[in-house]
Amino acid sequence: TGKLEVLVVETDGGIEALEVLRICGDGFTKAGLNVKNNDLDEALESSLAALYHNSKQKLCKQCTICPVREICGGGYIPHRYSNNNGFNNPSLYCSDLLKMIIHIQNSVLSEIPKEVLEKHDISFLSFELAKNLIDQNMETASDPSYLEELEEFKVV
């Protein structure tokens, strides 16, 4: 998964991270940057823009151990925000995303000949198994090294 390279330039010249992040709070996306005084590279380095751009790589602990993280990428970043933890949360829709991705994956796998699956040691994954794997590994998994970046935006 690559970087999400989007910035918003407002009609007054203000440069912000993705406008949908405004749902996180009043003035949340305001970085004090403007095209009159700042270039876009500078805006990309603001903490919120940088976190958004790397949001598929900088995931909460639960997401880092999820068997479908490469497909899901932690979900949509606004759905990971809370006042208590900033962006250090799985998506609000985590369980639904996991179910959907596993269902699609298993549907695709059911179309592949059994011999091919066996040759490449590919097996079906159930939602229950995926949840158990996550739950079992949560205790032993370490917090991500970028935890402070995820929690920088918490309000409490």
Side-chain angles (χ1 to χ4, degrees):
T1 53
K3 291 184 177 187
L4 303 172
E5 297 181 342
V6 175
L7 286 172
V8 173
V9 178
E10 295 292 331
T11 55
D12 66 356
I15 307 170
E16 301 179 7
L18 190 67
E19 70 273 12
V20 74
L21 291 171
R22 292 177 185 163
I23 66 171
C24 300
D26 187 39
F28 196 84
T29 60
K30 301 290 183 201
L33 302 170
N34 193 292
V35 293
K36 297 173 191 169
N37 306 316
N38 309 96
D39 61 31
L40 295 179
D41 286 337
E42 212 176 332
L44 289 171
E45 294 172 6
S46 71
S47 55
L48 185 58
L51 181 62
Y52 171 72
H53 289 254
N54 293 297
S55 63
K56 299 296 181 185
Q57 293 82 27
K58 293 190 175 182
L59 305 170
C60 70
K61 179 167 67 171
Q62 178 177 323
C63 292
T64 64
I65 59 175
C66 179
V68 300
R69 76 181 167 280
E70 294 297 323
I71 298 164
C72 176
Y76 196 41
I77 193 169
H79 299 161
R80 298 183 342 210
Y81 181 78
S82 77
N83 286 340
N84 292 337
N85 299 320
F87 293 100
N88 187 22
N89 305 290
S91 169
L92 176 64
Y93 302 105
C94 175
S95 186
D96 295 325
L97 289 166
L98 185 60
K99 285 178 187 174
M100 181 182 67
I101 291 167
I102 289 171
H103 172 76
I104 293 169
Q105 177 179 302
N106 288 340
S107 294
V108 170
L109 290 177
S110 70
E111 298 297 319
I112 298 173
K114 184 178 177 182
E115 305 79 42
V116 173
L117 296 175
E118 289 173 355
K119 178 181 176 184
H120 295 283
D121 195 29
I122 299 172
S123 58
F124 290 78
L125 178 65
S126 71
F127 174 75
E128 293 76 19
L129 177 59
K131 287 295 287 174
N132 287 339
L133 288 170
I134 293 168
D135 292 342
Q136 289 170 4
N137 290 318
M138 277 298 284
E139 292 180 28
T140 57
S142 57
D143 286 332
S145 61
Y146 45 81
L147 189 64
E148 287 181 18
E149 291 175 57
L150 297 176
E151 294 183 346
E152 178 180 343
F153 301 95
K154 64 184 178 180
V155 177
V156 288

